[in-house]
Amino acid sequence: MSDVTSISTLIMGPAMQLPIEVFMFFSTLIIIFCINVKLSIVVCAILPLQVATYLVFSKRVQATNRRMRDKVQSVHGAAYELMAGAKVVKSFNAESRASKTFVQDTKELFGLGLDFRVLSMTWGTSTEALASIGRPIFLWFGGMTVLNGQLKIGTYPALVTYMGMLQSPIQKFISMLSQFLSARVGVDRVFEIMDMVPEVEEAEEPVIMRDLAGRVEFKNVCYSYDGEEEVLRDVSFVANPGEVVA
């Protein structure tokens, strides 16, 4: 999924549902408080543990997602360069080396994607496990409250229903948070590109070139990738209009 796609998916999906889920959560919680304060405290006792799962998994999920996005960009760039420069790769008999590099990058991308999915599933499973642990505690405490005469037996099933209604928004919150973290990585990457300062600045008074003949001449040209070791030195050639120089 691209950076822009993840952002648009968040805006058109979870962001639209968030107000509804927040309303459902707090309205259900208020109803439980109005019916029985002690049982509502039992329900709320589980919430800090579910918040703790966010603190445990959020940074790891976001970091893994960031590495995965960077690797996707690297693989896409390498694939484009291989396709565009296929003739050059063949001319240097570098097909085997290029293929091994591309396969290695693809394997790393698969591993990062697998790690991201495992973390997301573990996060969701942890919240479901906490809900499963809290449900029998709620049922036991509610049953004891009914036996002690502090709660009407007809009210008890309603509380059980509201308990289930309360867990549904929590599970959706976790799913939304996972998508939010993914979109946040996309936003950071998009703004990194927008905030980049061009290496070549446009002159305030650029020279207007007229009547170009199309003849290009290089005279004693040197080039280096790292600024230290030269890969080209004193290269001179002329390319006339319509000529291909290699």
Side-chain angles (χ1 to χ4, degrees):
M1 183 182 295
S2 66
D3 299 325
V4 178
T5 303
S6 64
I7 298 171
S8 61
T9 301
L10 176 68
I11 295 174
M12 298 303 296
M16 301 293 290
Q17 300 175 1
L18 182 61
I20 299 174
E21 299 300 331
V22 171
F23 174 77
M24 289 292 296
F25 175 80
F26 284 103
S27 60
T28 304
L29 189 61
I30 290 172
I31 291 173
I32 296 176
F33 263 100
C34 294
I35 294 176
N36 190 283
V37 177
K38 292 183 179 180
L39 284 176
S40 62
I41 294 175
V42 174
V43 173
C44 293
I46 307 171
L47 297 181
L49 297 177
Q50 293 177 327
V51 173
T53 61
Y54 169 78
L55 300 177
V56 171
F57 288 99
S58 60
K59 290 184 178 180
R60 297 173 61 186
V61 168
Q62 187 174 356
T64 304
N65 194 310
R66 178 58 187 260
R67 293 198 302 270
M68 183 177 67
R69 295 286 184 82
D70 292 340
K71 182 57 67 173
V72 168
Q73 180 181 358
S74 175
V75 170
H76 285 180
Y80 177 80
E81 290 179 0
L82 287 175
M83 295 297 293
K87 292 183 179 180
V88 177
V89 173
K90 288 185 177 181
S91 64
F92 285 92
N93 196 23
E95 299 98 322
S96 177
R97 183 179 61 186
S99 298
K100 289 181 180 178
T101 302
F102 183 76
V103 170
Q104 181 64 30
D105 289 341
T106 305
K107 288 181 178 179
E108 292 178 4
L109 175 60
F110 177 80
L112 289 171
L114 184 62
D115 291 342
F116 176 74
R117 296 301 178 188
V118 169
L119 283 173
S120 299
M121 292 179 63
T122 305
W123 187 3
T125 303
S126 300
T127 57
E128 292 177 0
L130 290 173
S132 300
I133 294 173
R135 192 171 294 111
I137 296 175
F138 176 83
L139 295 175
W140 174 82
F141 193 85
M144 294 299 297
T145 305
V146 172
L147 293 176
N148 293 333
Q150 299 177 358
L151 183 69
K152 295 181 180 179
I153 190 171
T155 308
Y156 180 66
L159 281 173
V160 175
T161 303
Y162 286 128
M163 173 68 176
M165 293 176 61
L166 192 66
Q167 290 299 323
S168 178
I170 294 176
Q171 297 298 327
K172 292 181 180 180
F173 286 155
I174 298 300
S175 177
M176 291 179 186
L177 284 172
S178 179
Q179 296 184 42
F180 170 77
L181 293 174
S182 178
R184 181 179 176 182
V185 173
V187 170
D188 291 340
R189 285 167 51 87
V190 169
F191 274 98
E192 283 179 3
I193 297 175
M194 295 178 64
D195 294 338
M196 289 179 62
V197 178
E199 295 182 0
V200 179
E201 296 183 0
E202 186 175 351
E204 295 181 358
E205 298 180 358
V207 177
I208 300 176
M209 305 181 68
R210 304 181 186 277
D211 301 328
L212 297 177
R215 181 178 181 275
V216 179
E217 180 178 359
F218 283 72
K219 184 179 293 183
N220 300 327
V221 175
C222 300
Y223 183 78
S224 172
Y225 288 102
D226 55 8
E228 297 179 359
E229 184 179 357
E230 293 182 345
V231 293
L232 296 177
R233 180 180 298 172
D234 294 332
V235 176
S236 301
F237 64 90
V238 176
N240 294 311
E243 289 185 345
V244 178
V245 180

